[in-house]
Each structure stands twice: as C-alpha cells, then as structure tokens.
Amino acid sequence: MLRKKTMLVFIFLILSVLLAAGCGAGASAEKGKVIKIGKTQFDYERPFVEIARQVALENGYKVDVVEKDVESAFKSLARGDIDIWPGIRLPSLHNSYQDKYGKKYELGGTAFEKAPVGWVTSEFAEADCIAELKDDEESVDGKVFVPKSDSNMIEVPEQIIKGYDLDLEVVPVELSTLDSRLDRAFKENNFILFAGWRPDSMFRKYPLKFLDDPKGYWIQNSSFWGIREGFKQDAPGMYNFCQNFNMSVDDIENFLFGCREQDRSAKNLAKAWISKNRSEINDWAKVGAANKGVLSFFTRFFDTTPENDNWYNNGNDKNNSFNWPFYDGNDRGNDTPTDPGRDAQPGNEKAPPADDKEELKPGEDDKKASEQPEDQNKPGNAAGLSAMERQMFDLVNQERLKEGVPKYSVDSRLVKLARKKSRDMYENNYFSHNSPTYGGPYEMEKDAGINARVMGAENIARAMSVKKAHEMLMDSDGHRANILDSRHDAVGIGIVEASNGMLYITQLFIGN
C-alpha cells in the first residue's frame, strides 16, 4: 500500500513538472504572438518582408510591418521595438551602423548574397571605370545622384570624388525622383550617373552597368536579417526561418519587376514564391532546424580560391554565378554548355517549332517565312524587312564591308524572333536580354527550332532614330563586336515603334 502511495506521489510530481513546463512554453509563445517586421523604403526588402509576413501568419502569429528609415530601423532593432528586419547590408554599406548597434541584436542569415553596389550608368556610356570619368564629367552633366535616405550612400561618393580627383557634384534625391530622372535620361538619350545596387527592378528595365572601382571603395554586399535579442525563445520557428531564408538576386528582381512594372501585387507574388519553395520553407521554419545562413555567407565571402575570384569584380563579370542581364551586349552564354559568351553548341535534338500565332508587325513589308522569295538568304538581301529595319540592315553591312568582313544575309526566322522580342520589351515595359516571356536569345532561338554553328548573340537598343541607335551600338565595344564578328553570317532585325516615337530595336546574329 505504501509502495502504491509512493508511486502515485511520484507520478503527481512528474505531471506537475510537465504542466509547469507546458505553462512556461505557452507564456513564451504568447509573448511572441505579434511579430513586428521592420521595413525601410528600399524596394529590395519588399519580397522578404511579405514572404516572412505570410509565413508568420501561417504559423499562427499576428504581424505588424513597421516602416522606418535605415538608422531608425537599426535603433528599433537594438531597443527591441521590432523583432526582425531583413535590410542589414554588409560588409560595407551598413558597416558603420553595424559597428554602432550590432552588439544589441543578433545578426541572422542572408536574405540574399553578394550583390554589387556602386556607381551605375548607361550601358552605352563610354566610361567603364570610375577613373575614366576624369576630365569627362560633363558626359554625366557633372553630377552623381545618391539616395538621400541613407547617409552611407552619400558619404562614400564624396570619398570617391576625392580619391579619383573628379569634378562631380553629389546630388541627394528621393528614390522616386531618381527613378523619374533615370526614365527621362533614357528617353532623351542622355547619360546619368548614380549610386545604385542590385537587386533592383531598374536592371530589368534599363540597359545599365556598374563602373569598375579599382580603388575598392565599393564591394559586393549581402543583406542580413537583424533579429532582436530574445526572439529565439519567443518564436523559435520564425527565428530559424530568418536564419535559413535565402532568395536569389534574379528571383528578387523578378518579384520587384512584377510589382513595379506589371502592377502585380506583392501578396500574390509572395504566395506564388512560397508555393514554389514550399518544402524549403517548411524546413527553414522548423523548430530545431540547422541555422546555416551566416555560415554559408562568411565561408564563401572569405574563400579566395580562383574559382571564387569573380565575387570581387563588382558584378561586371560575365560568368558571375547570378544571371547578369546587362554587360557588354553579349548575352550569349548562360544556356551554352561549354564556353559562355562565345560559340553555343547546336545540340543534337531539334527543339519544337515556335508558336506561329500571327502578331501585329511593325512594317507593311512583313511576311511569313513561307512567303519569302527563294533568294532571301543571299548576302545583302533585305527582302521582308520594313523600311527602318532595312535601313539598320544596310548600316550594319556597311560597317562589315569597311572591316573587310562579308555582308550579312537576312534570316527570316531571326527577323520574326527579333520583332517578337522588340514588341515584348515595348508591351511589357522592360529592357533586357532576358525576356520574361521568351528567356534569353539562345533559348528563344532553340525554342524556334533554329540550329546553327554559332547562336545566341543579341544586340538591343532604344533610341528615337535608327541612325542614333546604330551610332550607340557601334560606340559600345561589345555591341560592335557582335556586329563585326566574322563567325556570324546571318542576322534578323526587328524594330517596333512606341506611341512616343521611341524605337525598340533587336538584332539577332547566327553563324551557319
């Protein structure tokens, strides 16, 4: 009997401990019931904030999104006024804030890794390096525009001007003002210089390039999650989510482009991304999940083996691990299995033919391939081209004759694809070698059933006249190289004119 009483007392004590532990866990969860996510005015945070919001709601939390400027976000994180914020860009952009406040919060995983930051200008600008602006400051109207909302983006350009001995004025502007200035500069065929970064949808919309910075004022940055002290205990699943979440630069820019240029809601875009990455997200938000975000960043950031050297070239390397849509006009290589940027392999299987659905064409001379005369592919023949396309074709062949290179023939299949690409850029309001509809030029040609020895070379331009576009292309080394490449023997040119007179021009080159 005594033994039975002793056993009952023992069981009661165990149940009491378990109950107390359960009450403690419930109190901790209650404390973290509302998750406050910080957000600044920088657009690149929008995907992370919306995805985190939806994941938190799925896990039974209420969510407040708290908007701050950059320094206020750091202060709020340090005080515990916000729980998480995905906008800490290191190792350089927010380094001073990290030094000042970083001991009062935890640095989580990387929302994205190693995206370039620096001075940005038109792809067609003559300068490829900051030093080349010396004595040519008037080409950018003597100004460099910087976002006024981030003091670091003002301080570094001032150091650069002094370090490179440039005669430039730093002009702080709101981000919305910078967007409108950029749009006007391209419409008026003027060059503009500004401090910019990836990811940003402007790199999908305009032909832009980062200027090389040999003195090293700018280096690539990753965006880290800042996590308030104690959040791990209050919301362990969301804590692990912030340690493990990662999104590619391309995915971020596609998200932003959808929001800004295609009027798609952030909520729906985030929902689609979560659905696509559901298994990873479930693992990320699991209590007890391995936290690998910070480790993966620093392991790779300090890896200086030769194969990783391209992380340090400020984003202009053609072989960067993320897809770089604007470099020197050659978007040939991402689909090529051997030598990116040069010859594409024709492949052993013929891709299915492209959709033959008829589209509105830019010129009255447009005809289906089956209607072209038999001699259409003879060098110099411009059958089937509109008047503006024929003008561009003649200018291109004149340049080849000057260099002793055989003239192009017109490939009616490439003409059709080039027109589709130009119309796609116009209708979907972007300017990139990577089409959201058709993919890259090599992919587009393969999907159309084209097989050739050399494929995937493309030039694109926007200008108010064919002559101006041709001049810009010939003034750019990469575009000029495409036009004069002796391995190319056929071209397709497609020109679409916008209502304001702006011409969207695509040139596709192959070598048979």
Side-chain angles (χ1 to χ4, degrees), residues 382-490:
L385 297 181
S386 70
M388 287 189 292
E389 291 164 351
R390 186 179 294 112
Q391 181 187 0
M392 174 66 79
F393 178 72
D394 289 341
L395 289 170
V396 164
N397 271 339
Q398 288 168 21
E399 300 292 349
R400 287 176 71 88
L401 289 176
K402 288 178 192 175
E403 299 297 321
V405 182
K407 293 194 296 183
Y408 280 120
S409 63
V410 173
D411 189 307
S412 59
R413 302 168 301 172
L414 294 180
V415 172
K416 183 175 181 179
L417 294 181
R419 288 171 176 169
K420 283 186 175 183
K421 176 62 179 290
S422 292
R423 182 162 295 282
D424 189 51
M425 289 193 294
Y426 167 55
E427 291 181 345
N428 291 307
N429 195 26
Y430 74 95
F431 191 80
S432 169
H433 295 294
N434 292 295
S435 162
T437 308
Y438 304 111
Y442 179 74
E443 179 184 358
M444 192 180 188
E445 290 165 3
K446 289 286 286 182
D447 287 345
I450 296 174
N451 280 319
R453 181 176 56 84
V454 182
M455 293 170 56
E458 176 188 72
N459 286 344
I460 55 176
R462 288 197 307 187
M464 297 303 291
S465 71
V466 170
K467 186 173 183 294
K468 178 64 177 177
H470 178 72
E471 289 172 353
M472 290 193 300
L473 292 170
M474 292 304 295
D475 284 342
S476 166
D477 290 343
H479 297 87
R480 178 186 175 89
N482 270 348
I483 290 170
L484 299 178
D485 195 328
S486 61
R487 298 168 307 155
H488 298 154
D489 56 22

Side-chain angles (χ1 to χ4, degrees), residues 105-367:
Y105 56 80
E106 182 178 349
L107 199 63
T110 49
F112 63 83
E113 296 184 353
K114 302 184 188 71
V117 179
W119 280 8
V120 182
T121 189
S122 166
E123 183 189 25
F124 301 114
E126 186 173 338
D128 291 316
C129 170
I130 294 175
E132 292 173 7
L133 292 171
K134 176 70 174 171
D135 299 325
D136 192 32
E137 292 90 343
E138 283 306 307
S139 67
V140 291
D141 198 28
K143 298 181 179 71
V144 55
F145 296 96
V146 299
K148 64 166 36 173
S149 49
D150 191 336
S151 60
N152 280 352
M153 293 298 281
I154 299 175
E155 292 169 6
V156 176
E158 290 173 342
Q159 296 168 14
I160 290 173
I161 289 170
K162 184 176 180 181
Y164 284 95
D165 191 25
L166 300 174
D167 184 18
L168 288 171
E169 176 189 359
V170 176
V171 183
V173 294
E174 299 290 348
L175 289 174
S176 58
T177 304
L178 179 58
D179 285 344
S180 62
R181 284 182 177 272
L182 187 59
D183 193 58
R184 188 166 69 247
F186 275 95
K187 285 180 178 175
E188 296 174 356
N189 289 319
N190 294 325
F191 296 143
I192 185 173
L193 180 68
F194 63 96
W197 52 82
R198 289 191 76 195
D200 194 291
S201 62
M202 69 175 67
F203 288 93
R204 288 283 309 275
K205 188 176 180 181
Y206 302 105
L208 299 170
K209 66 181 177 183
F210 283 90
L211 294 180
D212 289 333
D213 174 25
K215 293 182 183 289
Y217 288 95
W218 299 111
I219 60 175
Q220 292 180 339
N221 278 251
S222 295
S223 189
F224 288 83
W225 289 86
I227 305 172
R228 72 159 170 84
E229 291 181 346
F231 186 68
K232 181 176 182 179
Q233 291 73 39
D234 296 338
M238 287 304 297
Y239 171 86
N240 287 330
F241 173 84
C242 294
Q243 289 285 6
N244 293 297
F245 174 91
N246 190 268
M247 195 172 184
S248 73
V249 171
D250 281 340
D251 277 0
I252 298 165
E253 289 182 346
N254 286 337
F255 190 110
L256 298 176
F257 187 81
C259 289
R260 295 179 65 178
E261 308 299 335
Q262 297 176 327
D263 294 325
R264 299 174 67 187
S265 74
K267 181 178 179 180
N268 288 339
L269 288 166
K271 189 179 294 185
W273 194 88
I274 290 170
S275 176
K276 181 181 177 183
N277 297 276
R278 172 56 66 187
S279 61
E280 290 91 341
I281 289 171
N282 289 344
D283 287 341
W284 294 342
K286 210 179 277 182
V287 176
N291 299 329
K292 54 196 178 186
V294 176
L295 178 62
S296 70
F297 169 76
F298 283 108
T299 299
R300 299 211 317 244
F301 184 80
F302 291 108
D303 186 354
T304 56
T305 54
E307 60 266 31
N308 287 308
D309 284 347
N310 62 0
W311 284 114
Y312 300 91
N313 63 9
N314 210 26
N316 287 331
D317 192 286
K318 299 176 188 178
N319 297 315
N320 253 343
S321 65
F322 53 77
N323 189 15
W324 182 245
F326 306 111
Y327 33 91
D328 64 356
N330 304 322
D331 196 355
R332 307 164 176 164
N334 291 326
D335 295 299
T336 305
T338 53
D339 183 14
R342 302 309 297 173
D343 291 1
Q345 303 301 311
N348 296 322
E349 294 183 359
K350 186 173 181 179
D355 184 5
D356 286 329
K357 180 181 177 182
E358 199 62 40
E359 296 185 76
L360 178 64
K361 297 299 191 290
E364 62 182 5
D365 294 327
D366 187 40
K367 299 177 181 179

